[in-house]
């Protein structure tokens, strides 16, 4: 059996090699390395796929979040609500720009921030909310948007882990996650569900004014060359990466389906194990399964992780330290209420290998080792 990996980018590449190689070669032949035609065509294709009026590509997912915040005319000490249990990027950019990250606890079942916890954290200084669709499943966006409207707040969705997933509103309307808030951000980091072969990111919005501003900020704050209206950054998606992403976008729905199938096999096999909780799917969001994340009870998480590793199966802890406990935030962040669930999750979570090339034999082997650990 092949060495098992959390993500198998090599096999995925081999399966689409002719298309990818031709796309890369084409960029090199034309030497339009920056802002080449492929950047525009990928943006357009992604815009139709997402159903977002504007797609602005940029250097990476963290830049996307930073640029989104820069477009909102906020002032120092404005508060922005973020989940405590997530990757650092969404809270990091808040702090970097001199705003105050306000961390709130998440829901045990979904790993996601809830409208209820967000509402409790709102003060007169609150200006925005960054819900993160963690592990590939959407936050309760309908309720979050209602709160945003009630308190006049911006919503920036961190969709880095959920590209391709759909959100279903109570009236039956379906929209892609990442296009529901005022701005959505995503990352094309290689291991993401839509990953390139380097760094990349994108920003989604349906608001023409925000789109103009975001484009300007990405490009040194200028609309007309060398006329700088605001302070911006230099954040661009390379043409080669855009060409690769344009190929991979065509496969994204298939990739989501393959991840979903692997997750279904895992969850079916583990459903009767006491001491192990499988991911719970919500009624309002499909699951893109960026990660397949178990909760291991009774303090046995690290034991299971080691057992799997001894058997050649990598398993990862996303995330071992919640943000409210990270040293970088101790002085600059506020927290609202207790963070019991985030603390508990950081001790219980374990993500299994999850990618588009998990064959039946590999999944069966991983399942057998997990069952063996629990004496099943
Ligand atoms: C990957 C990721 C990011 C950052 O993306 P980069 O492209 O690595 O900067 C932000 N938020 C979440 C939730 C992520 O998973």
């Amino acid at each position: 059996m092949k060495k098992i990996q959390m993500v198998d980018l090599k096999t995925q590449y081999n399966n689409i090699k002719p298309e990818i190689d031709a796309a890369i070669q084409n960029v090199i032949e034309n030497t339009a390395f920056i802002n080449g035609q492929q950047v525009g065509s990928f943006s357009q294709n992604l815009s139709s796929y997402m159903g977002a009026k504007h797609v602005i590509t940029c250097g990476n997912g963290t830049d996307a979040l930073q640029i989104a915040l820069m477009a909102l005319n906020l002032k120092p000490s404005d508060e922005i609500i973020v989940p405590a249990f997530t990757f650092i990027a969404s809270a990091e950019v808040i702090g970097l720009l001199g705003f105050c990250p306000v961390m709130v606890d998440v829901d045990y079942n979904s790993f996601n921030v809830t409208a209820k916890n967000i509402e409790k954290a709102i003060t007169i200084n609150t200006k925005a909310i960054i819900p993160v669709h963690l592990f590939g499943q959407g936050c309760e966006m309908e309720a979050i948007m209602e709160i945003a409207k009630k308190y006049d707040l911006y919503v920036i969705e961190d969709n880095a882990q959920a590209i391709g997933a759909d959100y279903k509103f109570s009236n039956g309307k379906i929209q892609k996650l990442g296009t529901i808030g005022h701005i959505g951000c995503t990352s094309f980091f290689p291991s993401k569900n839509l990953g390139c072969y380097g760094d990349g990111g994108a920003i989604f919005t349906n608001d023409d004014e925000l789109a103009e501003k975001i484009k300007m900020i990405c490009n040194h704050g200028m609309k007309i060359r060398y006329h700088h209206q605001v302070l911006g950054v230099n954040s661009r998606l390379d043409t080669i990466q855009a060409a690769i992403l344009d190929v991979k976008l065509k496969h994204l729905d298939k990739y989501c389906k393959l991840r979903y199938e692997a997750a279904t096999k895992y969850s079916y096999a583990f459903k009767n194990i006491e001491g192990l909780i499988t991911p719970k799917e919500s009624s309002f969001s499909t699951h893109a399964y960026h990660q397949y994340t178990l909760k291991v009870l009774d303090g046995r998480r690290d034991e299971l992780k080691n057992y799997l590793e001894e058997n050649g199966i990598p398993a990862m802890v996303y995330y071992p330290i919640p943000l409210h406990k990270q040293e970088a935030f101790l002085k600059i962040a506020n927290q609202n209420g207790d963070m019991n669930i985030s603390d508990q999750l950081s001790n219980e979570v374990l993500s299994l290998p999850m990618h588009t090339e998990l064959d039946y034999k590999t999944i069966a082997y991983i399942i057998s080792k997990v069952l063996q650990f629990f004496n099943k």
Side-chain angles (χ1 to χ4, degrees):
M1 198 165 51
K2 229 171 24 189
K3 181 164 176 276
I4 303 175
Q5 295 173 282
M6 286 301 288
V7 181
D8 183 358
L9 296 175
K10 185 66 198 289
T11 310
Q12 191 190 59
Y13 164 64
N14 284 339
N15 289 336
I16 51 172
K17 186 172 172 3
E19 280 177 279
I20 293 279
D21 289 359
I24 294 174
Q25 196 56 38
N26 185 23
V27 176
I28 297 172
E29 295 297 339
N30 291 298
T31 64
F33 298 119
I34 301 293
N35 288 335
Q37 165 260 321
Q38 288 85 345
V39 178
S41 62
F42 169 62
S43 302
Q44 269 182 13
N45 291 334
L46 187 58
S47 153
S48 8
Y49 176 85
M50 297 292 292
K53 190 165 176 201
H54 303 279
V55 170
I56 301 112
T57 55
C58 63
N60 57 65
T62 309
D63 274 7
L65 290 159
Q66 178 179 331
I67 293 159
L69 284 175
M70 288 170 78
L72 300 183
N73 287 330
L74 304 183
K75 58 180 191 315
S77 80
D78 279 348
E79 295 175 5
I80 297 159
I81 297 172
V82 280
F85 184 73
T86 187
F87 180 59
I88 189 173
S90 355
E92 182 179 35
V93 294
I94 301 172
L96 260 183
L97 294 172
F99 311 131
C100 176
V102 176
M103 287 158 190
V104 299
D105 209 4
V106 297
D107 173 61
Y108 186 70
N109 289 321
S110 67
F111 307 102
N112 278 334
V113 70
T114 60
K116 191 169 143 221
N117 287 355
I118 290 170
E119 189 162 22
K120 278 192 285 188
I122 293 172
T123 74
I124 47 163
N125 293 322
T126 308
K127 292 292 153 57
I129 309 163
I130 306 187
V132 181
H133 306 311
L134 204 67
F135 303 146
Q137 182 163 248
C139 300
E140 42 179 6
M141 287 307 293
E142 189 161 357
I144 292 172
M145 293 312 291
E146 271 164 29
I147 287 177
K149 201 163 170 200
K150 182 167 156 196
Y151 296 93
D152 194 21
L153 308 174
Y154 283 109
V155 175
I156 301 174
E157 293 174 77
D158 183 339
N159 201 38
Q161 301 192 0
I163 196 157
D166 290 320
Y167 187 87
K168 192 170 163 196
F169 287 85
S170 48
N171 65 5
K173 186 178 162 206
I174 290 174
Q175 230 173 299
K176 283 267 176 267
L177 283 172
T179 67
I180 300 165
H182 303 89
I183 304 179
C185 296
T186 201
S187 161
F188 304 124
F189 186 81
S191 64
K192 296 284 153 81
N193 288 28
L194 178 61
C196 58
Y197 293 179
D199 274 310
I203 304 165
F204 311 117
T205 186
N206 291 317
D207 183 313
D208 297 340
E209 230 171 279
L210 279 175
E212 273 301 296
K213 214 144 163 225
I214 288 166
K215 267 183 229 165
M216 201 160 78
I217 293 169
C218 285
N219 189 25
H220 297 292
M222 64 183 174
K223 242 187 263 175
I224 305 165
R225 188 173 278 193
Y226 308 130
H227 294 242
H228 306 276
Q229 287 169 257
V230 293
L231 290 184
V233 294
N234 168 23
S235 188
R236 298 185 279 239
L237 182 69
D238 292 352
T239 312
I240 287 187
Q241 301 304 342
I244 291 165
L245 286 165
D246 220 6
V247 171
K248 289 185 72 177
L249 179 60
K250 294 188 214 118
H251 299 275
L252 179 58
D253 283 338
K254 183 184 70 198
Y255 288 161
C256 287
K257 191 165 161 272
L258 288 165
R259 286 173 179 273
Y260 192 81
E261 283 169 8
T264 306
K265 290 192 183 102
Y266 279 146
S267 286
Y268 183 76
F270 302 150
K271 69 179 175 187
N272 292 323
I273 299 183
E274 247 174 77
L276 196 63
I277 301 178
T278 56
K280 192 169 187 308
E281 288 173 17
S282 78
S283 56
F284 49 76
S285 164
T286 62
H287 203 318
Y289 280 108
H290 175 60
Q291 297 298 343
Y292 181 86
T293 304
L294 296 164
K295 288 179 279 242
V296 189
L297 308 183
D298 311 316
R300 301 190 72 194
R301 191 264 314 273
D302 294 342
E303 205 188 322
L304 173 59
K305 182 178 192 295
N306 292 336
Y307 182 81
L308 293 175
E309 277 164 5
E310 280 161 21
N311 285 284
I313 301 165
M316 297 289 288
V317 175
Y318 304 117
Y319 298 92
I321 306 172
L323 298 186
H324 65 283
K325 289 203 167 137
Q326 297 285 357
E327 197 180 339
F329 289 120
L330 292 183
K331 290 202 181 102
I332 61 157
N334 288 349
Q335 70 181 68
N336 184 271
D338 65 49
M339 301 285 141
N340 295 342
I341 309 273
S342 298
D343 288 332
Q344 186 181 351
L345 287 173
S346 62
N347 290 320
E348 291 181 357
V349 288
L350 190 64
S351 298
L352 296 185
M354 172 49 72
H355 52 84
T356 53
E357 320 297 325
L358 272 173
D359 55 37
Y360 180 76
K361 251 171 71 183
T362 309
I363 295 180
Y365 174 75
I366 297 170
I367 287 173
S368 75
K369 290 297 162 190
V370 173
L371 294 178
Q372 214 172 65
F373 177 82
F374 289 99
N375 299 316
K376 292 277 177 180

